[in-house]
Amino acid sequence: MRVGVLALQGAFREHLDLLGRLGVSAVAVRLPEHLAGLSALVLPGGESTTMRKLIDRWGLRDPILDLARAGAPIFGTCAGMILLARDISDGDEPVLPLLDITVKRNAFGRQLDSFEADMAVPVLGTSAVHGVFIRAPVIERVGARVDVLATLDDDRVVAVREGNVLATAFHPELASETRFHRLVATMASAFAEPGEGTSRKRHPTRRAAR
Amino acid sequence: MDIDTSTWVTKTGLAQMLKGGVIMDVVTADQARIAEDAGAVAVMALERVPADIRASGGVARMSDPLLITQIMDAVTIPVMAKARIGHFVEAQVLEALGVDYIDESEVLTPADEEHHIDKHAFKVPFVCGCRDLGEALRRISEGAAMIRTKGEAGTGNIVEAVRQLRAVTGQIRRLSTMREDELFVAAKELQAPLELVQQVARDGKLPVVDFVAGGISTPSDAALVMQLGAEGVFVGSGIFKSEDPARMADAVVQATTHFDDAKIIADVSKGLGAPMRGLESTAIPVAERLAVRGW
């Protein structure tokens, strides 16, 4: 099982290192051929305008959508979440519209408003997640099939999941927060090797029950 | 919920988000839009690019706040601006404007011949120039959250930036081979705090993001410093002093992403028109060299 990290620009090294520390084989993705054989893809933080341009320029949009539609987990942080949104509230065209959400870019303001905060993420257990928000986006609308994973105290949504696609407005990779990546690795493993149930063998000497 | 703003993690974190990208000098809102459309990760707002500062001489100062706010309004990517070395009031003004990063820059005329700005005292993060590891670590100890080489700004000549980048990476490699008890002398020789020297020796890298600036004027220049270990590039005069800025900007962005793919660098370099007119660095009188500013 190999997990790809989109490496066009941004904090991709941090995701590669974090996955490596978890014992997950992780590779940088810059061109469509780098997506072959991947079981998951991480879209890192960075500048979404830059990544949008480079995704188009190098023909990555359709192969990433194909990977997602095949069921491979896709995980976006910050700019990665903007790339995954179906709607972007300043009117920009969506890039990889895999999440039925509306995001607002730079929702908290400029760099002086960047912040750190602890928050509860019940699906990851009882201990709080430390979130690093850097010129972060926020989720303004959540579709009916989207699960909210985390909110701030003012109820603003900052982490979501829809099927095999996850996104956070903050940077777990900057806070040594490994649980999101563990979850993605587990989902990737289930995608790569579906496991029990799918290849059930009949008992060699017994007939199937009627 | 406790919310902490302007922490060391958010300051260094923004630089981490800029990695693998190109930060472009712009002097108008229109240029800022061209840079953003070409895929710049941030722009440096200033009144004159270094090549023009060099040509016109005189005292170079912080840009007009009106120009900086016009550029901030024109783009959604981060906007940086320059303050003179040691001029903490220019830095206070830039912080009040809400710029995303301040460059305490040798490209402007220094305001203090001894002291750099106490950057810990600010909420806004700073990037500072260096020529070697000791200078980088002194700036980090003063609170710089991002480092760049100085190169020799406004020359279109990459040679100084290469020398400085090789100095930094070479000194880091030497530190990481040293015994623990050799680091005391190393810190003394580098004129840098022992704690930072020990950290660099342990990690094999600077504790903050390290870009290259000063002299990049072609896609190959950008790829050269990326292959040598830069984490991203600043391009000053190299974009808007070239024949076709929009295409040059796009090509430098592509070459910075695909820095280890010579076929792509060749492709994006085709028919770009003339890069900026260069200046051989030994032709510059010592008194006019910018890289020696800062201490």
Side-chain angles (χ1 to χ4, degrees), chain B residues 92-141:
Chain B
Q92 290 165 3
V93 170
L94 294 174
E95 181 175 82
L97 294 176
V99 301
D100 297 296
Y101 242 91
I102 295 177
D103 183 2
E104 185 182 17
S105 178
E106 72 285 354
V107 169
L108 306 183
T109 310
D112 191 319
E113 291 184 326
E114 218 168 337
H115 306 97
H116 281 252
I117 297 170
D118 171 12
K119 293 164 276 285
H120 291 295
F122 286 79
K123 289 180 168 301
V124 61
F126 280 74
V127 55
C128 286
C130 74
R131 280 165 299 173
D132 54 34
L133 181 60
E135 198 173 5
L137 296 181
R138 287 194 292 279
R139 296 295 87 77
I140 294 166
S141 73

Side-chain angles (χ1 to χ4, degrees), chain B residues 250-273:
Chain B
D250 172 79
V252 173
V253 168
Q254 306 300 337
T256 303
T257 290
H258 298 286
F259 64 88
D260 55 359
D261 190 328
K263 275 185 69 172
I264 289 179
I265 301 167
D267 267 354
V268 302
S269 301
K270 285 176 184 162
L272 280 183

Side-chain angles (χ1 to χ4, degrees), chain B residues 69-81:
Chain B
T69 49
Q70 284 168 345
I71 289 171
M72 287 167 63
D73 290 342
V75 293
T76 61
I77 55 178
V79 175
M80 301 183 169

Side-chain angles (χ1 to χ4, degrees), chain B residues 14-293:
Chain B
L14 178 57
Q16 287 173 277
M17 297 308 136
L18 303 176
K19 287 194 300 182
V22 184
I23 300 169
M24 301 183 192
D25 279 4
V26 297
V27 300
T28 64
D30 281 342
Q31 286 189 354
R33 282 186 211 100
I34 292 170
E36 185 176 46
D37 289 346
V41 292
V43 290
M44 178 75 68
L46 67 179
E47 279 177 355
R48 289 175 290 169
V49 294
D52 291 333
I53 291 174
R54 191 177 280 291
S56 60
V59 174
R61 310 178 180 89
M62 176 186 78
S63 298
D64 184 338
L66 176 64
L67 173 80
I68 295 169
T69 49
Q70 284 168 345
I71 289 171
M72 287 167 63
D73 290 342
V75 293
T76 61
I77 55 178
V79 175
M80 301 183 169
K82 289 183 193 287
R84 282 179 267 178
I85 289 173
H87 204 316
F88 50 85
V89 174
E90 284 187 349
Q92 290 165 3
V93 170
L94 294 174
E95 181 175 82
L97 294 176
V99 301
D100 297 296
Y101 242 91
I102 295 177
D103 183 2
E104 185 182 17
S105 178
E106 72 285 354
V107 169
L108 306 183
T109 310
D112 191 319
E113 291 184 326
E114 218 168 337
H115 306 97
H116 281 252
I117 297 170
D118 171 12
K119 293 164 276 285
H120 291 295
F122 286 79
K123 289 180 168 301
V124 61
F126 280 74
V127 55
C128 286
C130 74
R131 280 165 299 173
D132 54 34
L133 181 60
E135 198 173 5
L137 296 181
R138 287 194 292 279
R139 296 295 87 77
I140 294 166
S141 73
E142 295 157 1
M146 180 180 184
I147 287 293
R148 57 171 176 78
T149 62
K150 294 176 178 174
E152 186 58 39
T155 61
N157 188 341
I158 194 70
V159 65
E160 295 297 324
V162 167
R163 185 208 317 278
Q164 295 161 11
L165 177 61
R166 280 191 183 274
V168 172
T169 56
Q171 287 167 318
I172 291 173
R173 274 193 297 278
R174 272 199 292 285
L175 281 188
S176 57
T177 63
M178 284 183 184
R179 284 163 52 103
E180 189 72 20
D181 61 4
E182 293 169 333
L183 295 175
F184 298 100
V185 172
K188 188 183 77 179
E189 287 171 356
L190 287 166
Q191 299 177 50
L194 178 64
E195 294 71 24
L196 286 175
V197 170
Q198 288 169 328
Q199 188 178 349
V200 170
R202 194 171 56 240
D203 299 344
K205 65 186 290 298
L206 286 179
V208 303
V209 168
D210 184 19
F211 270 44
V212 158
I216 292 170
S217 48
T218 68
S220 297
D221 286 349
L224 172 67
V225 296
M226 291 297 288
Q227 287 197 25
L228 284 171
E231 297 189 288
V233 298
F234 285 85
V235 186
S237 320
I239 302 289
F240 289 98
K241 286 287 173 188
S242 70
E243 189 178 331
D244 186 343
R247 283 201 57 203
M248 180 63 82
D250 172 79
V252 173
V253 168
Q254 306 300 337
T256 303
T257 290
H258 298 286
F259 64 88
D260 55 359
D261 190 328
K263 275 185 69 172
I264 289 179
I265 301 167
D267 267 354
V268 302
S269 301
K270 285 176 184 162
L272 280 183
M276 69 176 284
R277 171 122 172 73
L279 196 57
E280 218 282 300
S281 56
T282 52
I284 305 168
V286 175
E288 290 176 24
R289 290 184 192 166
L290 304 178
V292 299
R293 296 170 169 177

